Amino acid sequence: MAKKIRIRLVRSTIGTLPAQRATIRSLGLRKIGSTTEKDVNPAIMGMVQAVSHLVSVEEIE
């Protein structure tokens, strides 16, 4: 079974670069406090790393 992570948007995207806003949207996040669960793979981890200052990540079983 693949590992999963829970991603939560904790900071606003106002004032961020358009590419970072697009990354947040493609992760499935809209409002502050919204969460999504994703399988761990290199593409998702790269997206999370690019917006790490806006999100919190926790591993789930």
Side-chain angles (χ1 to χ4, degrees):
M1 187 170 130
K3 285 185 176 179
K4 292 190 105 133
I5 55 173
R6 180 176 293 126
I7 307 164
R8 175 185 295 270
L9 184 61
V10 295
R11 298 205 43 206
S12 173
T13 57
I14 295 172
T16 60
L17 298 173
Q20 291 173 342
R21 273 181 261 154
T23 301
I24 291 292
R25 291 291 294 126
S26 63
L27 284 170
L29 302 170
R30 286 181 161 257
K31 299 179 178 182
I32 294 176
S34 62
T35 61
T36 186
E37 294 179 3
K38 299 285 183 186
D39 290 329
V40 175
N41 63 50
I44 295 295
M45 294 312 294
M47 292 165 69
V48 167
Q49 185 176 355
V51 294
S52 62
H53 58 290
L54 301 173
V55 299
S56 68
V57 180
E58 66 181 74
E59 203 172 302
I60 55 177
E61 290 132 28

